Amino acid sequence: MRAIEITRPGPPEVLEWREVPDPRPDRGEVLIDVVAAGVNRADLLQRQGFYDPPPGAPPYPGLEVSGVVAEIGEDVEHVTPGDEVCALLAGGGYAERVAVPWQQVMPAPEGVRLVEVAGLPEVACTVWSNVFMAARLRRSETLLVHGGASGIGTFAIQLAKAFGSRVAATAGSAAKLDRLKELGADETVDYHEEDFAERVTADVILDIVGAKYLSRNIRTLRTGGRLVIIGLQGGAKAEIDLGALMAKRATVHGSTLRARPADEKGVIVRGVVDNVWPLISAGAVRPVVYAEVPMAEAAEAHRMMESGEHIGKILLVR
């Protein structure tokens, strides 16, 4: 088969579409003929040499795909050849085929093109596991989403609104803020122009920035609030005012998804299928796709993401 190889750590140009060995499904694995793959910031970090795949994962980037089941290994449940599916991966999605534990495979939700389904696994599992499982966002509470124009941000806004919550979001341009309002955001903040901590009070914060926002995030939380940090775009180290945290009886939760074992991912995946897929099939939540790029041109997709101009997901299509 062919896959995108990272020939060396570096700029997008190091990504090359090459012939590589065909994967085979081991016990408990499903082999998927890939139709499309989602592009995520973790892929850019891996390309630059900062985020190696977990042990045993394919060396090619790509944390989510959609496609058709080609073959199954022994001891696979709930999946049969010919099924249209999507999957959460530890790596290997930028390829014509990928093998993945069956627990991480989901049926493609109805009412969405199979290509667009590739943009759902990572965002759906991230938002469900962090906003709803870890932070326990409740109806009538307020969620603040940082990076609201990202794939995760656009999905989090829609899902929280579908569950009856109020949503505030940050982004860096008027065009992005307008789009976030169309997706359901009740309040938006241009982080170039305003300090969100002066404008917003939230019960739950979904944060991709990290250290740069830590103190302001704590100021923004209501009593009993929950801050979930899922990214470090603004740094990994910061001082924390424990007195402020204690006074608000607030919690700070750090989370990653990629390196979790298959059984843990399986719990998240089942929650997504049971609670999120019906909303997608009903049209209450939709994938937001910015661009579809041929998989062989993955370098262009990475340049597009690095420009920061996109709203929603960038997909690689075979």
Side-chain angles (χ1 to χ4, degrees):
M1 71 167 188
R2 290 171 297 177
I4 291 291
E5 284 198 312
I6 301 171
T7 57
R8 65 185 188 281
E13 292 73 25
V14 304
L15 300 176
E16 294 188 8
W17 188 234
R18 292 180 168 183
E19 294 282 341
V20 299
D22 288 317
R24 301 293 304 168
D26 289 332
R27 181 183 296 272
E29 288 189 334
V30 174
L31 184 65
I32 298 173
D33 280 326
V34 175
V35 168
V39 178
N40 291 278
R41 192 158 295 276
D43 304 336
L44 278 60
L45 294 174
Q46 181 175 336
R47 187 202 76 220
Q48 295 164 345
F50 300 134
Y51 194 13
D52 292 336
Y60 325 116
L63 300 180
E64 58 186 343
V65 296
S66 62
V68 178
V69 175
E71 188 179 343
I72 61 174
E74 297 180 13
D75 301 327
V76 167
E77 301 177 24
H78 308 301
V79 183
T80 58
D83 288 351
E84 291 190 347
V85 298
C86 58
L88 183 70
L89 312 175
Y94 291 17
E96 292 181 321
R97 284 187 159 190
V98 65
V100 57
W102 70 266
Q103 299 96 322
Q104 296 166 213
V105 178
M106 295 170 272
E110 296 179 1
V112 182
R113 289 192 306 129
L114 190 56
V115 165
E116 292 185 324
V117 170
L120 289 173
E122 183 72 17
V123 297
C125 290
T126 297
V127 174
W128 179 254
S129 63
N130 288 291
V131 174
F132 293 91
M133 293 176 66
R136 308 175 310 285
L137 180 70
R138 295 186 290 270
R139 190 179 300 274
S140 78
E141 287 190 322
T142 296
L143 169 69
L144 171 59
V145 180
H146 289 306
S150 66
I152 288 173
T154 55
F155 195 86
I157 291 167
Q158 295 181 82
L159 191 59
K161 289 299 293 184
F163 274 88
S165 299
R166 186 177 184 277
V167 179
T170 63
S173 72
K176 288 182 177 180
L177 297 181
D178 288 343
R179 182 68 177 113
L180 302 190
K181 290 175 184 175
E182 292 174 0
L183 292 172
D186 300 283
E187 185 175 7
T188 58
V189 178
D190 184 335
Y191 59 76
H192 292 305
E193 303 292 335
E194 298 181 89
D195 182 354
F196 67 87
E198 301 296 329
R199 280 269 312 276
V200 180
T201 303
D203 301 282
V204 174
I205 301 174
L206 184 64
D207 179 44
I208 62 171
V209 177
K212 183 179 177 181
Y213 278 6
L214 181 60
S215 62
R216 283 186 284 165
N217 277 333
I218 293 173
R219 283 166 49 203
T220 299
L221 286 175
R222 289 193 175 104
T223 300
R226 290 86 72 196
L227 166 62
V228 184
I229 301 173
I230 61 169
L232 301 173
Q233 294 182 30
K237 295 182 178 181
E239 290 188 357
I240 186 168
D241 184 343
L242 293 175
L245 192 71
M246 294 166 66
K248 291 190 173 185
R249 302 190 298 281
T251 58
V252 178
H253 180 91
S255 176
T256 60
L257 184 59
R258 184 180 192 181
R260 296 191 191 197
D263 287 344
E264 271 190 43
K265 290 179 180 176
V267 172
I268 297 168
V269 161
R270 289 193 295 274
V272 166
V273 172
D274 291 344
N275 297 283
V276 180
W277 265 204
L279 294 170
I280 291 175
S281 297
V285 179
R286 306 298 293 178
V288 177
V289 177
Y290 179 75
E292 298 177 10
V293 180
M295 190 171 287
E297 300 173 19
E300 176 57 29
H302 277 218
R303 282 190 287 269
M304 192 178 294
M305 177 167 277
E306 287 177 339
S307 76
E309 297 178 359
H310 64 289
I311 299 174
K313 295 290 294 190
I314 300 168
L315 305 180
L316 297 176
V317 182
R318 284 193 50 212

